[in-house]
């Protein structure tokens, strides 16, 4: 039998409707199993409500962070448009007539977040300034013609969205635009002139002397280049040169989204082209600062009862720092953690506000009470109680419910005291040399979650450095701690800490009043000091006596008033840390609100493609969950998909695989599944259907990178991987 060549084709079939499909979690998909209890539905509704609150908080935070840069961009675009309509023969008007206003927006390397930022900017421009906004991506604009097509389609079509429009719709819009007028900048100028004249004729007002009114009737055309680094320099240069010839007819404003550095724009554009632009630089907030704000609002707060374990938080931060710098993906990881917590933990229905938790505890069933008794932290809590209370907790459900209510309230109070003291400790140590406890509060928080912070060497080093602080530095530190605690003063413990800090500040102020008196006294003591006597006495015996007195006085030197007060301040801070920064594992029922499955989050977010492929090919039951596909050890299941059979057969071969032998082995396995005798083949030929199935499976295996064709032997393929799972 002649061998067949392995197919090398790769075909892409686009669906008719390529609109983005949002995968939503429903109650049916959230709850598995036939028996669905009321607690299960309550868990799902709690998850939905809690995530909605966190999502709204994130969106509000995003708006506040982008507010400044968006306001500056709007002001820049408005000013550029006003200059176009200005009739004064001034310098700005002459510059505006010869240059295109361009905003270089440096957003940072968190590229996945740029899409949301530009979408918000586009919506804001359309709502407040101009309906003519076009967003372009480098992968869609490989030529100047494509750039003009995208601009014309988005402006003249009005309803066309390149990300959500199907392929037929795009072609129809392009055909419609080109049929009506040529795809050129002159066509855009004619369309804009007709549009502005039409809006002017439809306007009821006859007087248009107001600059703002004229600006509304001739709104600017804003073209946003989302990813400047992805555009071909030649395409960008040609488009800018063409646009500069129509700047007096079209109020164009260009916005360049830059991920790296502003110098990228000058590297892509030579001086002859960059001189046609009037560039203004806009800098957004760094992604690390953005992450710090998100963690402060979503994690380091008692507003949301859900909390992350130290290992889970470390996984999310590691993915952020070493993969994409995307705050958006960090929030998605937080959502996944929330979903996994409510999905996998039956007692997560108590992860809610204290009032709701108290009401739900009283509605717990006997089975729910048994689940509580099996929680590790609660078992440790029971072990530390007296024998009488232990019996009640293990046998009396109502007594258990009352005690659980108290424990959940204590857990809430624990968090109310935890975060203020944590922020105070961060404020106190974040400015120390070499940052022994970390520069960012997230580093300190992870350390506090995993162990007793006061038992670490870094903590001792930090307090040694604090013990060498000057008076001004220490007073400034106490004032910062006071500002942190003011937002948490509803707690009794926090109020007492604030009063103690105020007392320390008052004592430091009193030191200034007694400084003059102390200085006079010190001068008097110096007159009779051993050092003064040392200068007067010359006798050897007296000299030896004086030196001994000096050595003794140095050993028994008394601390000054400031040193005593500084020591008291540090002892008070250390007391607060030891009292309120205990790890969550020390709190009973912390499993109710803390999510600790770090391996699950790592597996979902930090995927290992090779491991997943080998698992799917060697054990298809892992993903398909079909009992027919179960196999023991390394045996080959004849009911498995063709590619799985071919994969397992290729594991038994060496570096070179004979295609004919491989085919015969495949036919033998498949024929056993179909209850056919492989020896009874007509004329010794393999069935065409089985042959085609084998070629397809081998082609898929080649596409995945497990094999490749080889020139050593024409009827062989080379194996590229070794070993399996």
């Amino acid at each position: 039998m002649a061998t067949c060549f392995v197919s090398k084709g790769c075909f892409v079939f686009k669906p008719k409707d390529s609109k983005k499909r949002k995968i939503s979690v429903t109650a049916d998909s959230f709850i598995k199993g036939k028996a669905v209890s009321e607690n299960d539905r309550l868990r799902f509704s709690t998850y939905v409500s809690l995530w909605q609150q966190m999502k709204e908080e994130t969106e509000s935070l995003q708006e506040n962070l982008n507010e400044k840069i968006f306001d500056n961009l709007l002001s820049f675009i408005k000013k550029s448009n006003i200059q176009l309509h200005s009739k004064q023969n001034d310098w700005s008007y002459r510059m505006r007539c010869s240059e295109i206003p361009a905003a270089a927006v440096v957003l940072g390397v968190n590229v996945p977040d740029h899409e949301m930022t530009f979408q918000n900017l586009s919506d804001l421009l359309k709502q407040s300034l101009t309906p003519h906004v076009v967003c372009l991506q480098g992968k869609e604009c490989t030529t100047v013609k494509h750039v003009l097509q995208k601009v014309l389609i988005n402006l003249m079509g009005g309803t066309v969205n390149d990300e959500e429009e199907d392929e037929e719709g795009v072609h129809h819009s392009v055909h419609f635009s080109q049929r009506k007028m040529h795809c050129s900048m002159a066509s855009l100028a004619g369309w804009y002139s007709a549009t502005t004249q039409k809006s002017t004729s439809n306007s009821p007002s006859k007087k248009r002397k107001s600059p703002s009114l004229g600006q509304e009737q001739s709104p600017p055309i804003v073209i946003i280049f989302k990813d400047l680094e992805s555009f071909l320099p030649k395409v960008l240069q040609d488009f800018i040169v063409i646009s500069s010839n129509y700047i007096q007819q079209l109020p164009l404003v260009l916005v360049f989204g830059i991920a790296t550095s502003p110098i990228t724009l000058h590297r892509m554009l030579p001086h002859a082209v960059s001189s046609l632009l009037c560039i203004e630089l806009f800098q957004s907030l760094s992604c690390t600062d953005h992450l710090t704000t998100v963690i402060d609002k979503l994690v380091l707060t008692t507003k949301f009862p859900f909390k992350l374990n130290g290992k889970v938080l470390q996984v999310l931060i590691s993915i952020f720092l070493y993969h994409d710098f995307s705050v958006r993906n960090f929030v998605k990881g937080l959502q996944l953690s929330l979903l996994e917590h409510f999905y996998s933990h039956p007692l997560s229905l108590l992860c809610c506000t204290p009032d709701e938790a108290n009401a739900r505890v009283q509605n717990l069933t006997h089975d729910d009470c048994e689940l509580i008794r099996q929680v590790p932290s609660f078992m440790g809590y029971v072990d530390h109680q007296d024998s009488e209370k232990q019996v009640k907790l293990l046998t009396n459900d109502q007594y258990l419910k009352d005690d659980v209510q108290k424990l959940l309230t204590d857990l809430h109070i624990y968090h109310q005291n935890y975060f203020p003291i944590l922020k105070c400790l961060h404020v106190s140590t974040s400015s120390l040399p070499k940052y022994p406890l970390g520069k960012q509060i997230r580093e300190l928080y992870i350390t506090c979650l995993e162990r007793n912070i006061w038992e670490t060497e870094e903590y001792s080093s930090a307090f040694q450095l604090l013990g060498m602080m000057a008076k001004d530095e220490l007073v400034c530190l106490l004032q910062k701690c006071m500002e942190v605690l003011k937002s948490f003063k509803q707690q009794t413990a926090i109020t007492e800490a604030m009063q103690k800090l105020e007392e320390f500040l008052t004592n430091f102020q009193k030191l200034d009043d007694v400084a003059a008196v102390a200085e006079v006294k010190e001068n008097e003591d110096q007159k009779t000091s051993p050092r003064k006597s040392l200068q007067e006495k010359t006798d050897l015996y007296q000299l030896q006596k004086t030196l001994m007195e000096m050595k003794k006085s140095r050993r028994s030197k008394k601390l000054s008033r400031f040193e005593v007060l500084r020591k008291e301040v540090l002892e008070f801070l250390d007391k607060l840390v030891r009292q309120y920064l205990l790890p969550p594992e020390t709190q009973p029922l912390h499993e109710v609100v803390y999510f600790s499955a770090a391996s699950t989050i790592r597996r979902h977010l930090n995927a290992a493609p090779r491991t997943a492929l080998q698992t799917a090919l060697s054990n298809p039951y892992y993903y398909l969950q079909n009992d027919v596909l179960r196999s023991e050890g390394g045996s080959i299941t004849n009911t498995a998909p063709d590619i799985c059979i071919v994969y397992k057969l290729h594991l038994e071969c060496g570096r070179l695989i004979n295609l004919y032998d491989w085919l015969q082995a495949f036919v033998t396995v498949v024929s056993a599944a179909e209850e056919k005798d492989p020896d009874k083949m007509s004329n010794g030929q393999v069935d065409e259907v089985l042959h085609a199935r084998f070629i397809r499976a081998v082609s898929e295996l080649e596409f995945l990178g497990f094999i490749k064709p080889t020139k050593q032997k024409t009827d062989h393929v080379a194996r590229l991987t070794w070993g399996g799972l």
Side-chain angles (χ1 to χ4, degrees), residues 654-707:
R655 189 179 67 86
L656 294 180
I657 306 175
N658 188 303
L659 284 173
Y660 181 78
D661 296 339
W662 200 3
L663 172 61
Q664 295 299 323
F666 172 77
V667 171
T668 302
V669 175
V670 175
S671 299
E674 299 177 357
E675 298 181 354
K676 295 180 180 179
D677 189 358
D679 297 332
K680 297 181 180 180
M681 296 183 296
S682 58
N683 299 326
Q685 297 293 327
V686 179
D687 182 58
E688 293 182 356
V689 175
L690 293 179
H691 194 181
R693 288 167 58 182
F694 173 76
I695 292 298
R696 182 181 63 180
V698 172
S699 300
E700 292 173 349
L701 211 61
E702 180 191 1
F703 177 74
L704 294 176
F706 288 93
I707 60 173

Side-chain angles (χ1 to χ4, degrees), residues 421 424-425 428-429 437 452-456 458-464 466 477-478 481 497 500-501 504 566-582:
I421 304 304
C424 278
L425 180 61
S428 304
T429 60
L437 292 181
N452 293 329
I453 184 67
W454 56 87
E455 295 178 355
T456 61
E458 293 80 6
Y459 181 83
S460 302
S461 301
F463 268 75
Q464 287 180 0
L466 290 175
L477 183 148
L478 293 178
C481 290
K500 190 65 175 178
L501 292 179
F504 284 133
R566 180 175 61 187
K567 183 179 180 181
E568 293 178 359
V569 170
L570 296 183
E571 289 177 351
F572 176 71
L573 291 177
D574 180 66
K575 179 182 177 182
L576 291 178
V577 170
R578 294 174 182 268
Q579 183 176 358
Y580 297 112
L581 290 189
L582 295 169

Side-chain angles (χ1 to χ4, degrees), residues 37-51:
S37 64
E38 188 63 28
N39 287 347
D40 295 333
R41 298 193 179 278
L42 187 59
R43 272 194 295 146
F44 175 72
S45 61
T46 306
Y47 156 74
V48 173
S49 175
L50 186 56
W51 168 242

Side-chain angles (χ1 to χ4, degrees), residues 520-533:
V520 173
K521 185 178 180 180
E522 183 179 358
N523 293 333
E524 294 177 354
D525 293 341
Q526 286 181 353
K527 294 180 180 180
T528 58
S529 64
R531 188 178 300 274
K532 186 70 176 179
S533 301

